Amino acid sequence: MLDKFTPNQRLLVAVALSFLFFIGYTTIFPPKAPNSEENATQAAVVKPSAAQAHSSVTTEASAPAQEIKTVSTDTLTTISAKEFTLKIDTLGRISSLILSDKKHNGKDGQLSELVSGAGAKPLYIRFADEALNAAASKTAYASSASSIVLGENGKGTVTLTQNLPELTVTKTLTFYADGHYDAKVNLSSEKRYYVYLGQHPQIVEKMMTVVGSMIYAGDNLTTIFKDGDVEGRSIFTDVHMASAFDQYYASIMYGFDKSTQVVVERDTKDNPVTYLEGANNFTFSGYIGPKEYKTLESINPILVNAIEYGWFTFVAAPIFKILMYLHGMIGNWGWSIVALTVLIRIILYPLTHKGMVSMQKIKEIAPRIKEVQEKYKGDPQRMNAAVMEMYKKHGANPLGGCLPLLLQIPVFFAIYRVLLNAVELQGAEWVMWVHDLSRMDPYYILPILMGATMFYQQRITPSNFTDPLQEKIFKYLPLIFTFFFFTFPAGLVLYWFVNNIFSIAQQYMVNKQFEAARMARHEAHLAEKHHEKD
């Protein structure tokens, strides 16, 4: 059947199928959500590049990392701030961090807990000496304060001390109201030890994208280890930042010396376990919280690299910056998305106009193309040459209509990733029934409007189908797209809906121009005939 499609139609089918596969797979088969008994999600692994392996990474086969059992401990110190409540347990670990803003709550209204109940917790220390490590796991820390309340821009320091046989461990931790902290670990004598980053937050109902660990090292090189598919052990140096992340939140460590070795290895579920090799008087900084761009940038610009958009980061990152700029002027994320759509349409206007004109030209010469195909149907080579000559003669590009679509697809996928990963859109209202642009339209109004405009756009767009089956396939595309968009974030559907409206308006103008040109040619032809009679 595909051999009956024109090159233009075949490319459209390929783009549509790629689009449907991308969004369909993400929607129907999201990463497996973790639970208290199985800390694993299914995904693919991104292995270090050759350049990384040469400059900063050592990767070796290894047995799964020693399982860090979750020990029931008492709360030693509580840090309270406007945006969060953090707890440190008697083993000197960050055992809990709960966000206060209700926009971070789960669908059931439950507050967001950012410290995983399974695996190693942030600031956990493991000693290479097994006997010393066993003693450390049974010896409680002492704290200089049982509770600290942080002002809006304040900070507070707590000193934790653990007295082990022939060794004293001192952790000096300074917490800030924006969610970051500074840490200093001091040992009374030299011992080899490791400080754990902790597992990524596990906000189950929001896990629609990649989760795992990220290492940002060397010359702006990012390596991602996805849950469920980590192989061997990777050792990094010259690391700027290590992050354990989910869709909206992350536990991050940064600010340590370039010589510090950062290790990522697999646990028994092939999930990443990340830790830093410590030193005496070891200093570093950390952050646990939402991946809000402005917050991360204000703490340390290097942290914005924790916001990762997959393959489309190179497009998505600047798009999000433009979106933030528009939001700064407009003050509403929904209208900012509308303004961004207008801006993108203006930038792409010359190309989309050229594509629409090309489609109109192809429609006009379609009958002649059909005649040529009938004339040379027994000689495909001559037929193709004659068809291409016809296109060239009339200035029509058989692929011209697809070029604008191909250029919009990366933009759409980039916006798709932006709206899935941008925690800023949580709880962001637009108008009337849309109260959260990061979640699906509860009444399906936007997806239905999107499907209706897509259908109408298809009706007014020139086509040159020669096979009824081809025409039926394209007629059903708006219905298929509408079905997938039912579960998409409202902000993403809003973008596509507004984009359709602009496409309809532009197509309408092009159609009118060609209709006027045809009428002018027809009137000139009649005038010429009338002149000949005279």
Side-chain angles (χ1 to χ4, degrees):
M1 182 184 71
L2 284 176
D3 59 339
K4 297 181 180 179
F5 281 68
T6 66
N8 199 26
Q9 293 163 2
R10 270 180 278 192
L11 188 53
L12 279 170
V13 170
V15 170
L17 290 177
S18 300
F19 172 84
L20 291 175
F21 174 79
F22 180 88
I23 61 176
Y25 189 87
T26 305
T27 304
I28 299 174
F29 302 107
K32 187 178 177 184
N35 55 49
S36 58
E37 296 179 356
E38 184 181 27
N39 178 29
T41 54
Q42 298 301 315
V45 66
V46 178
K47 296 181 179 179
S49 67
Q52 288 171 291
H54 177 73
S55 62
S56 61
V57 185
T58 301
T59 304
E60 57 188 51
S62 68
Q66 180 181 355
E67 184 176 357
I68 307 300
K69 295 182 179 179
T70 302
V71 181
S72 178
T73 58
D74 296 328
T75 297
L76 187 63
T77 303
T78 300
I79 313 294
S80 302
K82 179 182 178 181
E83 299 294 335
F84 64 88
T85 299
L86 181 149
K87 294 181 179 180
I88 300 173
D89 66 13
T90 51
L91 290 183
R93 310 171 301 183
I94 297 177
S95 58
S96 173
L97 193 150
I98 295 177
L99 298 175
S100 304
D101 195 326
K102 65 180 182 179
K103 78 174 186 177
H104 299 294
N105 292 359
K107 292 180 181 177
D108 57 359
Q110 186 176 0
L111 295 173
S112 293
E113 169 63 76
L114 300 191
V115 177
S116 172
K121 298 185 185 300
L123 297 181
Y124 165 71
I125 287 181
R126 176 174 65 84
F127 291 96
D129 185 310
E130 292 185 6
L132 182 59
N133 194 62
S137 66
K138 299 174 183 177
T139 305
Y141 279 79
S143 175
S144 63
S146 60
S147 64
I148 297 176
V149 178
L150 303 179
E152 188 168 344
N153 297 309
K155 64 180 181 178
T157 300
V158 59
T159 301
L160 309 177
T161 306
Q162 185 183 44
N163 294 309
L164 301 172
E166 301 180 0
L167 179 68
T168 299
V169 180
T170 304
K171 292 181 182 178
T172 305
L173 307 174
T174 301
F175 293 92
Y176 298 82
D178 56 13
H180 86 281
Y181 61 88
D182 296 327
K184 179 179 180 180
V185 180
N186 179 266
L187 305 185
S188 60
S189 61
E190 293 287 343
K191 298 289 181 182
R192 192 176 185 185
Y193 70 97
Y194 309 95
V195 180
Y196 278 69
L197 172 65
Q199 301 304 100
H200 61 72
Q202 297 179 0
I203 312 299
V204 176
E205 69 272 17
K206 295 177 183 175
M207 281 194 175
M208 299 172 61
T209 55
V210 172
V211 295
S213 290
M214 171 198 295
I215 303 296
Y216 183 69
D219 188 16
N220 303 326
L221 297 173
T222 299
T223 306
I224 294 177
F225 298 86
K226 300 180 183 180
D227 269 11
D229 208 3
V230 178
E231 299 176 355
R233 177 189 290 119
S234 297
I235 303 173
F236 297 79
T237 56
D238 191 19
V239 174
H240 310 301
M241 176 193 71
S243 171
F245 66 95
D246 74 353
Q247 185 177 355
Y248 293 130
Y249 311 98
S251 174
I252 304 172
M253 287 183 177
Y254 63 99
F256 37 81
D257 190 85
K258 287 185 177 183
S259 62
T260 300
Q261 288 195 344
V262 179
V263 182
V264 180
E265 58 185 359
R266 62 189 179 97
D267 64 10
T268 55
K269 302 297 183 182
D270 291 335
N271 294 335
V273 177
T274 306
Y275 53 86
L276 286 57
E277 183 164 1
N280 201 15
N281 294 319
F282 183 45
T283 59
F284 61 94
S285 297
Y287 172 82
I288 303 175
K291 294 184 288 184
E292 294 180 350
Y293 188 96
K294 289 183 178 179
T295 299
L296 296 178
E297 186 179 43
S298 66
I299 295 170
N300 189 322
I302 203 73
L303 298 186
V304 300
N305 295 284
I307 306 172
E308 207 274 334
Y309 304 103
W311 295 345
F312 299 97
T313 297
F314 72 100
V315 180
I319 283 179
F320 182 64
K321 288 182 180 180
I322 295 171
L323 187 61
M324 282 197 304
Y325 175 77
L326 294 171
H327 178 259
M329 293 193 301
I330 299 171
N332 179 282
W333 285 107
W335 290 116
S336 299
I337 291 171
V338 173
L340 176 66
T341 311
V342 173
L343 183 61
I344 291 172
R345 293 297 308 192
I346 291 173
I347 294 172
L348 294 179
Y349 179 85
L351 285 172
T352 53
H353 180 77
K354 187 175 181 180
M356 289 177 178
V357 169
S358 181
M359 292 288 284
Q360 282 284 4
K361 289 180 178 179
I362 290 174
K363 180 183 178 181
E364 285 189 340
I365 64 174
R368 300 182 189 180
I369 295 293
K370 191 173 182 180
E371 290 176 4
V372 169
Q373 290 173 336
E374 285 293 326
K375 182 178 180 180
Y376 298 109
K377 63 181 178 180
D379 190 344
Q381 189 172 357
R382 288 191 66 186
M383 180 185 71
N384 289 335
V387 168
M388 293 308 296
E389 181 63 29
M390 184 77 69
Y391 285 144
K392 185 177 180 180
K393 180 180 178 181
H394 292 86
N397 183 354
L399 297 180
C402 278
L403 181 59
L405 178 61
L406 287 173
L407 289 174
Q408 289 182 62
I409 290 299
V411 174
F412 171 77
F413 285 154
I415 291 178
Y416 172 78
R417 296 308 297 253
V418 164
L419 298 182
L420 278 183
N421 293 350
V423 68
E424 288 85 352
L425 297 183
Q426 281 189 301
E429 297 184 354
W430 180 42
V431 294
M432 295 183 288
W433 74 98
V434 181
H435 302 296
D436 191 339
L437 288 166
S438 71
R439 292 181 176 173
M440 59 184 284
D441 183 340
Y443 304 108
Y444 308 114
I445 296 173
L446 281 174
I448 291 172
L449 289 174
M450 187 282 303
T453 53
M454 189 175 181
F455 176 76
Y456 183 71
Q457 179 188 353
Q458 192 182 73
R459 287 285 302 272
I460 67 172
T461 300
S463 62
N464 56 335
F465 294 109
T466 57
D467 187 336
L469 183 58
Q470 297 175 17
E471 193 170 4
K472 286 182 180 179
I473 292 173
F474 277 84
K475 278 185 178 179
Y476 279 108
L477 280 179
L479 182 63
I480 296 171
F481 273 59
T482 302
F483 171 77
F484 278 107
F485 273 70
F486 275 150
T487 59
F488 276 20
L492 181 65
V493 186
L494 173 62
Y495 163 78
W496 204 251
F497 167 59
V498 176
N499 186 68
N500 284 351
I501 291 176
F502 276 89
S503 295
I504 289 170
Q506 189 174 359
Q507 187 68 62
Y508 179 80
M509 289 189 294
V510 171
N511 291 355
K512 283 294 183 182
Q513 290 172 0
F514 269 78
E515 182 64 27
R518 278 194 293 269
M519 291 296 295
R521 287 198 300 270
H522 180 66
E523 290 175 1
H525 181 67
L526 291 178
E528 185 178 345
K529 280 189 174 181
H530 182 72
H531 180 72
E532 289 176 355
K533 287 181 180 179
D534 293 342

